[in-house]
């Protein structure tokens, strides 16, 4: 059964916040989706009833296994929509997550296959893998910033929480997936011979892999 647009949006944001924070809170979900706290609460109640979402604490939620599978099916559409807007239309890298909202719900499997044939579908422009049609996804080994050794080379793997300010900062500093970086301090990296200070919340949005 096809899920409603609203359900798809909720599953995506709960997935992203959980990857970023370990859970998704009502207080964060409603401003991001531009809904009232009450309607977010009601919608999440429906998702809990459908066994897509479970409560972890007061006001804190995460996806169940079947919710994750449904989220992945939608993330396939979302991430391929980003590829289309980027490689097909040349939209700015930092605006892709936001701009994809207009078209992602309408991405049929036929469109997805054509985009993948033409542009390749390894990952979204921000490094996130494209799930299969039935919601399977493979994650490579990755490290968060805290796990990196000082003065060793790594490359940026993906942006786990794609927000407009995070993407704008990364674009301005050309810190795209595959950028080769060295950690030189708690909030500082060396990149292309320059020392770059990165705010903590943005560092938490990134994963890395050994070079
Ligand atoms: Fe995105
Ligand atoms: Fe993306």
């Amino acid at each position: 059964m096809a899920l409603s647009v609203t359900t798809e949006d909720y599953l995506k944001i709960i997935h992203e916040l959980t990857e970023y924070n370990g859970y998704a809170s009502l207080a964060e979900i409603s401003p991001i989706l531009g809904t009232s706290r009450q309607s977010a609460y009601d919608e999440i109640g429906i998702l809990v009833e459908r066994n897509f979402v479970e409560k972890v604490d007061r006001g804190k939620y995460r996806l169940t296994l079947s919710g994750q599978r449904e989220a992945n099916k939608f993330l396939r559409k979302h991430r391929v929509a980003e590829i289309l807007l980027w490689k097909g239309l040349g939209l700015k890298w930092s605006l892709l997550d936001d701009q994809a909202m207009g078209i992602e719900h309408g991405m049929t499997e036929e469109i997805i296959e054509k985009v993948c044939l033409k542009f390749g579908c390894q990952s979204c422009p921000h490094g996130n893998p494209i799930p299969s049609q039935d919601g399977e996804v493979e994650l490579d080994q990755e490290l968060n910033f805290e796990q990196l050794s000082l003065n060793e080379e790594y490359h940026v793997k993906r942006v786990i929480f794609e927000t407009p300010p995070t993407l704008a900062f990364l674009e301005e500093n050309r810190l795209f997936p595959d950028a080769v970086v060295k950690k030189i301090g708690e909030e500082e990296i060396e990149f292309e011979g320059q020392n770059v200070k990165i705010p903590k919340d943005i560092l938490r949005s990134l994963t890395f892999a050994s070079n």
Side-chain angles (χ1 to χ4, degrees), residues 23 34 59 66 69 80 91 105 116 127 130 142-143 158 164 175 201:
Y23 59 85
S66 72
R69 182 176 291 269
V80 174
L91 261 67
H105 300 284
C116 292
I130 310 293
E142 57 185 0
L143 300 163
R158 63 190 184 108
L175 286 166
D201 60 317

Side-chain angles (χ1 to χ4, degrees), residues 13-187:
I13 195 62
I14 294 170
H15 162 81
E16 286 178 327
L17 285 169
T18 304
E19 276 215 302
Y20 184 64
N21 284 328
Y23 59 85
S25 73
L26 266 184
E28 291 168 297
I29 295 168
S30 52
I32 293 171
L33 292 182
T35 60
S36 68
R37 188 82 75 96
Q38 185 61 45
S39 39
Y41 181 81
D42 293 344
E43 184 63 36
I44 287 173
I46 295 169
L47 296 176
V48 170
E49 256 168 47
R50 295 176 73 179
N51 191 36
F52 287 158
V53 168
E54 61 191 2
K55 192 171 176 172
V56 287
D57 202 346
R58 202 185 151 85
K60 295 177 180 174
Y61 301 87
R62 68 174 169 227
L63 299 174
T64 62
L65 276 180
S66 72
Q68 186 61 57
R69 182 176 291 269
E70 293 306 317
N72 287 343
K73 289 181 191 170
F74 177 57
L75 288 167
R76 173 177 174 83
K77 298 186 200 175
H78 169 75
R79 290 170 182 168
V80 174
E82 287 186 342
I83 293 172
L84 175 62
L85 295 178
W86 192 41
K87 299 224 168 131
L89 301 181
L91 261 67
K92 249 169 105 75
W93 185 85
S94 55
L95 301 180
L96 296 167
D97 180 75
D98 195 48
Q99 289 289 315
M101 280 179 209
I103 61 167
E104 60 199 7
H105 300 284
M107 295 288 288
T108 62
E109 198 50 40
E110 195 175 357
I111 299 173
I112 289 174
E113 271 170 31
K114 289 261 169 17
V115 175
C116 292
L117 207 60
K118 188 150 184 172
F119 302 116
C121 270
Q122 277 302 91
S123 56
C124 88
H126 315 99
N128 289 299
I130 310 293
S132 72
Q133 214 178 327
D134 52 6
E136 299 288 341
V137 72
E138 264 177 57
L139 272 183
D140 297 336
Q141 283 256 358
E142 57 185 0
L143 300 163
N144 59 41
F145 189 70
E146 281 178 6
Q147 295 172 305
L148 305 187
S149 307
L150 284 173
N151 299 312
E152 258 181 51
E153 278 193 348
Y154 298 91
H155 60 269
V156 174
K157 186 101 187 118
R158 63 190 184 108
V159 186
I160 57 178
F161 187 27
E162 302 174 1
T163 69
T166 294
L167 295 178
F169 178 93
L170 295 172
E171 183 171 67
E172 202 174 303
N173 289 282
R174 298 184 319 285
L175 286 166
F176 305 116
D178 294 330
V180 175
V181 299
K182 271 186 203 168
K183 177 179 181 174
I184 55 169
E186 275 321 297
E187 290 175 52

